[in-house]
Amino acid sequence: MRVALVSSLFAIAAHALGIGNNKPWQVDECSKFASSISTNDIGGTILNSTHYPMKAVNISGTLNEFPLCRLFGKVPYPKNNSVIFELWLPTPEKYNGRFLVVGNGGMAGTVDEGSVILNVNKGYAVAGGDSGHLASLNNAGNGAPGVYLPYLHDQEQVKAWIHNSIAYFTPVARKTAAIFYRSPPKHSYYQGCSTGGAQGFALAQFHPHLFDGIIAGCPGNWYSHLALSFLWNAQVTQGLNSLPQTALDLITQAALAECDTIDGVKDGVIGNPLLCPFNVSSLGCNASVTNSSACLTPAQVATAQKIYAGPADARSNAPLYPGFSVGSETEWSLQEGFLANAFSIPILQNMVFNLTYDTSAFNWGTDVDALNEKVGKFIDEISPDLSTLKANGAKMLVFQSWTDPFNAAMWPIQHLRQIEDFFGEDVGDWFRLFMIPGGGHCGAAAKYPQVPATWHALEALVQWVETGRPATEMLGTDPTDKSLSNKTSKLCPWPRTAKFKGGDPNNWNSFECEK
C-alpha cells in the first residue's frame, strides 16, 4: 500500500484501540461509537453523529442506499483556524474496504455532500471537508465585485483552501473509519473536480504520501492564471465585441460541419479539436451585410480569435494561459463577464489591490507580476516535479473536457507536457490524462446533451491501483438527452483518442483508442 508510513503509524496504536480484535461497529451504534473515541485517538474532534437508516438522507434527489453512520468533525490548523469535515460510514456489510476523500468546488466553504452520497452508495467510506473556511462567513461562498471575503485576507485560510485542507483532515477521518471498521482501509483514494482538481494537484505536489490514487478533474491548478483567462475573455467581449449566443452557436455549427467526422462518425462532436482546420474568419460578413445571424462582424471575428489565443503579457506577448478550443464556442457565454465577476475581480480586489480597484485598468504586464507574487504562490499547484508521488507508487488520473465552459482545455495537455519534459520520458505508468469530447465542466455541457456525462474515473483508477493494469480506457455514461439513456462513450488516455470502427455509434465498444 502506498500510504505505508500512515499504515505503520496506525498499526502502532491498533492494539490499544482494539482494531483487528473485534467485530466492526454497527451503524446504529453511531452515537455510542462517536462517544468512545477521543481527540487523542484520532487527532481531531467529533462534533456530531447520526445514524441514518436506508433512504433517510436525500441530497439533491439522491438517497442513501444503505444504512450509515454520519459524523461531523473538526481539525485545527494554524492561527486559530479549523477544517470542518464529514465522514459517512456505510454499514459494514456494504463497506468495500476503501476510503475516499472528495474535494471542493469554486470558493468552497461547504462539504460536497452530493459527491459524498454518490460514493457512499458504492460502498466507500467517504470524507469531505469545507476547505478550511465557512461559506456562511464569505458571501455564501460566492465571489462578487466589491465584496469583502474574509478568507482571502487570512493567509492560512488561503493556503488551506486549495493547498492544505484535504491534508489536514484526511488522516483524522481515515483513522476514525479504521476504528469504526476495526481495520484500516485497503486503499485510499482522492477524487475532485474544478477547485477539487486543483486540490488533487496540491496533494500530488505537497502531500504525495496521503493517497494510493488521485483523480483531478477539469483542474484549475494554475488558479491565478485561470483567473486571468476569465478576466481576459470578459474584457475582449465588451460592447460591440460581445458574442451573443446566436453567434456562439453559429461558430460551433460551422466548426462541426467541417470537423465532426474526424473520429470516423457524425455525432455532433469534434473528437480531437487539434486536428480541426476550421478558421473563424470564414464566417465574416461581406462588407455590405450588417446585423446578420448568418455571419460575424469584423469585431466579432476578432473577439473569437482573441478567445482562441488566450491572454498574453503586454510586454512580451508571451502567453499567460491557453485559449479555448474549436468546438467549445457554444459554451463560452459564462466567459463574457460572469466568471470574471465571480473569481477574477474578487481575487484581485481582496488579495492584490483593494475593494474599489477597477479591473478595467488592469495592466497586462506589471499587474500580472503582482498577481503572481501575492496570489499565485498560495493557490497554484503547477510544479512538474511529482517525483515523490511517483516514488510512492501512487497513480494519478486527470480528466478534462474539450468543451468545458470554465477551463481552457489545452491547459492540462500543456501541463502533461511539462511533467513529461521534467522526467524526460513518458509518464503513463503513473500519470494519465483523459480528454473528453463534448463534455462540460465536471459534467454535462449544456449544448451537448447527446454526450455521456458521467465519467467513470474512479472505477478506472481503482483498477489501475489494485491490479497494476494501467487505465487504457474510461467509460462515459448517462447523457442528459434521455432518449439516449443507454448511450456509452469510450474515453482515451491522451494523446490517444477514440476512433469509430463500425457498429453502433452509441456503444463504446464500437470505438478503439488510437494515436
Side-chain angles (χ1 to χ4, degrees):
M1 183 176 180
R2 260 63 67 182
V3 287
L5 176 60
V6 175
S7 296
S8 297
L9 293 174
F10 177 82
I12 295 173
H15 178 73
L17 295 171
I19 296 171
N21 300 323
N22 301 294
K23 294 180 180 180
W25 288 81
Q26 296 302 307
V27 293
D28 60 3
E29 300 175 299
C30 190
S31 295
K32 181 180 178 182
F33 165 72
S35 299
S36 75
I37 55 178
S38 69
T39 299
N40 290 335
D41 293 334
I42 60 173
T45 303
I46 301 300
L47 303 173
N48 193 14
S49 59
T50 307
H51 160 243
Y52 288 98
M54 185 174 61
K55 297 185 178 180
V57 183
N58 186 333
I59 306 295
S60 301
T62 300
L63 304 177
N64 61 306
E65 296 179 6
F66 323 128
L68 61 88
C69 172
R70 183 180 183 181
L71 304 171
F72 287 80
K74 179 173 71 171
V75 180
Y77 69 92
K79 301 294 179 66
N80 199 33
N81 287 300
S82 61
V83 179
I84 303 297
F85 72 91
E86 294 186 36
L87 174 62
W88 294 33
L89 302 167
T91 184
E93 293 77 17
K94 297 296 184 180
Y95 174 51
N96 65 17
R98 303 180 180 101
F99 174 73
L100 175 70
V101 172
V102 299
N104 301 99
M107 291 192 166
T110 60
V111 175
D112 182 2
E113 294 176 343
S115 292
V116 172
I117 196 167
L118 286 174
N119 288 292
V120 83
N121 282 345
K122 298 175 183 177
Y124 291 86
V126 188
D130 68 357
S131 81
H133 64 267
L134 295 173
S136 60
L137 300 179
N138 289 274
N139 197 41
N142 300 308
V147 173
Y148 181 81
L149 298 173
Y151 88 97
L152 293 180
H153 297 265
D154 182 322
Q155 190 173 109
E156 290 299 328
Q157 289 189 19
V158 171
K159 289 190 293 185
W161 174 30
I162 298 175
H163 283 185
N164 297 326
S165 64
I166 304 295
Y168 287 146
F169 76 81
T170 289
V172 176
R174 178 163 49 208
K175 183 174 286 188
T176 303
I179 296 171
F180 183 85
Y181 293 112
R182 309 286 191 180
S183 177
K186 296 181 296 184
H187 294 282
S188 296
Y189 297 96
Y190 170 81
Q191 177 176 258
C193 193
S194 190
T195 293
Q199 291 169 324
F201 272 96
L203 292 166
Q205 181 175 333
F206 302 117
H207 312 286
H209 60 287
L210 281 177
F211 294 97
D212 300 308
I214 295 171
I215 293 171
C218 302
N221 59 310
W222 199 4
Y223 214 111
S224 64
H225 282 227
L226 176 60
L228 288 180
S229 174
F230 296 159
L231 182 62
W232 171 272
N233 292 333
Q235 289 186 351
V236 302
T237 53
Q238 295 304 299
L240 296 176
N241 298 319
S242 68
L243 292 167
Q245 190 63 50
T246 53
L248 299 176
D249 293 343
L250 173 69
I251 301 171
T252 294
Q253 289 305 312
L256 285 168
E258 187 165 343
C259 299
D260 186 347
T261 57
I262 281 175
D263 58 358
V265 63
K266 187 175 179 61
D267 56 2
V269 178
I270 298 174
N272 181 358
L274 299 187
L275 300 179
C276 181
F278 170 74
N279 190 328
V280 70
S281 62
S282 65
L283 295 177
C285 299
N286 295 328
S288 60
V289 178
T290 60
N291 195 30
S292 173
S293 61
C295 59
L296 302 177
T297 67
Q300 290 173 329
V301 170
T303 295
Q305 290 171 332
K306 290 175 182 177
I307 295 175
Y308 291 133
D313 191 307
R315 297 164 295 189
S316 62
N317 205 38
L320 297 170
Y321 202 75
F324 279 72
S325 303
V326 171
S328 67
E329 305 85 0
T330 191
E331 299 290 327
W332 285 357
S333 61
L334 294 178
Q335 296 289 332
E336 300 192 38
F338 176 86
L339 292 171
N341 287 339
F343 294 97
S344 315
I345 295 174
I347 288 172
L348 288 167
Q349 289 182 337
N350 282 274
M351 294 189 68
V352 182
F353 302 106
N354 56 62
L355 294 182
T356 63
Y357 175 72
D358 181 2
T359 53
S360 66
F362 186 83
N363 184 301
W364 287 90
T366 56
D367 287 351
V368 173
D369 295 340
L371 178 75
N372 290 338
E373 174 63 24
K374 296 183 179 182
V375 178
K377 64 183 178 181
F378 298 116
I379 67 173
D380 293 344
E381 312 73 41
I382 57 174
S383 173
D385 183 1
L386 302 180
S387 300
T388 305
L389 185 79
K390 176 186 178 184
N392 286 347
K395 311 301 182 188
M396 186 162 183
L397 190 156
V398 180
F399 64 81
Q400 173 62 54
S401 303
W402 279 113
T403 49
D404 187 332
F406 285 58
N407 197 16
M410 277 301 298
W411 163 244
I413 293 176
Q414 289 185 6
H415 193 43
L416 171 61
R417 292 170 181 166
Q418 293 166 0
I419 295 169
E420 290 173 334
D421 288 345
F422 175 84
F423 286 95
E425 61 185 11
D426 181 86
V427 295
D429 58 338
W430 59 276
F431 183 106
R432 293 198 171 195
L433 166 66
F434 286 74
M435 298 301 294
I436 303 171
H441 190 66
C442 305
K447 297 290 184 175
Y448 286 92
Q450 78 277 25
V451 174
T454 297
W455 310 314
H456 296 254
L458 185 56
E459 290 83 351
L461 180 66
V462 166
Q463 174 186 289
W464 190 6
V465 167
E466 298 184 15
T467 70
R469 297 196 303 271
T472 58
E473 58 189 21
M474 189 165 78
L475 174 65
T477 61
D478 306 318
T480 57
D481 182 347
K482 298 306 179 184
S483 69
L484 296 171
S485 60
N486 294 321
K487 182 177 180 178
T488 56
S489 62
K490 179 166 292 188
L491 307 171
C492 304
W494 187 260
R496 292 177 175 82
T497 58
K499 301 293 177 63
F500 183 60
K501 295 300 178 179
D504 181 0
N506 292 329
N507 186 321
W508 78 317
N509 290 315
S510 300
F511 295 78
E512 293 182 6
C513 293
E514 297 180 353
K515 286 187 178 180

